[in-house]
Amino acid sequence: MRNLVLQQIKSYIKFIFHSKNEHGVHSPFVYDLVTKCFYASDFPIENSTYPSTNKLILKTIYYLNLKNCVRFDVKKEVPTKVDGLIVSSVTLNDFSIEKIIPLCKNETCIFIENIHQTKANEKIWKRLHQHETITCSIETFNLGMLFIRKEQKKEHFIINPNKTITSRFFERIRFKL
């Protein structure tokens, strides 16, 4: 238990130092997603009691207008092409990007929950966002997003989804280094 907590703390500190906000993003798609979705406060769910990861998923689904979103379940087959796929950390070990690709279309977003929960999750996340079919990946601390966007060159972004005093502080330190 202690090792798990220490690993999560180490991962979070590493995330804070590597994460950027909208000023570190050079992709128009990701810039708009960060400024108009992640940092927007006018979404109906913003003041809800959902956990922050669920809020970010819901805000992204709403912003990108994803109509056909499903939660990945190893025991169930996805019957049709999907706009969004949500993969929890419980099913992450059984998740195969190769099996999912035929169900995806251009603009599909795959949400991966708890990517920094364990070292195994971090290894799986790294393998997933480096997959040749994934052209855009966004990493927040608790959530990873994989996009299949044929019109975009392959890029990986580490984004702090919260504009906090801490993120502004670390942003200033990073620029001075």
Side-chain angles (χ1 to χ4, degrees), residues 5-177:
V5 172
L6 288 174
Q7 190 271 326
Q8 288 176 341
I9 291 170
K10 180 181 170 187
S11 292
Y12 186 71
I13 291 169
K14 185 177 175 184
F15 167 78
I16 289 295
F17 278 105
H18 288 96
S19 66
K20 297 182 177 0
N21 61 21
E22 74 272 18
H23 300 294
V25 175
H26 301 290
S27 162
F29 168 75
V30 177
Y31 180 84
D32 285 346
L33 184 65
V34 170
T35 57
K36 297 177 182 175
C37 177
F38 290 10
Y39 296 159
S41 59
D42 58 348
F43 282 88
I45 60 161
E46 189 60 36
N47 295 322
S48 67
T49 58
Y50 286 115
S52 61
T53 301
N54 293 348
K55 275 186 195 177
L56 192 55
I57 291 172
L58 291 171
K59 285 172 76 171
T60 305
I61 289 170
Y62 179 82
Y63 174 76
L64 295 174
N65 197 23
L66 303 177
K67 299 288 185 205
N68 186 16
C69 296
V70 295
R71 184 168 280 281
F72 175 76
D73 186 345
V74 179
K75 298 172 187 151
K76 296 180 184 174
E77 279 199 34
V78 178
T80 183
K81 296 235 182 224
V82 295
D83 295 323
L85 185 68
I86 303 167
V87 181
S88 73
S89 59
V90 175
T91 59
L92 190 55
N93 288 329
D94 299 319
F95 179 73
S96 168
I97 192 86
E98 287 78 15
K99 290 180 183 175
I100 296 303
I101 295 300
L103 303 172
C104 298
K105 51 190 174 184
N106 197 38
E107 302 291 330
T108 293
C109 178
I110 303 168
F111 300 95
I112 310 290
E113 297 177 327
N114 301 314
I115 58 175
H116 290 288
Q117 188 174 27
T118 64
K119 280 198 179 280
N121 284 12
E122 287 181 343
K123 285 180 183 177
I124 293 169
W125 166 247
K126 186 175 182 179
R127 188 185 76 229
L128 290 172
H129 79 75
Q130 291 177 343
H131 191 274
E132 62 195 20
T133 308
I134 303 303
T135 54
C136 178
S137 54
I138 299 173
E139 178 177 336
T140 69
F141 184 70
N142 291 318
L143 182 67
M145 296 179 195
L146 305 170
F147 294 92
I148 299 169
R149 301 187 76 241
K150 292 176 176 70
E151 65 277 7
Q152 184 169 348
K153 70 176 184 139
K154 189 167 188 70
E155 292 183 276
H156 177 69
F157 300 93
I158 302 172
I159 304 290
N160 188 339
N162 305 310
K163 274 207 152 184
T164 62
I165 294 171
T166 308
S167 65
R168 289 186 181 115
F169 173 74
F170 282 114
E171 181 180 64
R172 293 188 192 285
I173 290 173
R174 190 171 36 255
F175 286 132
K176 290 180 182 179
L177 294 178

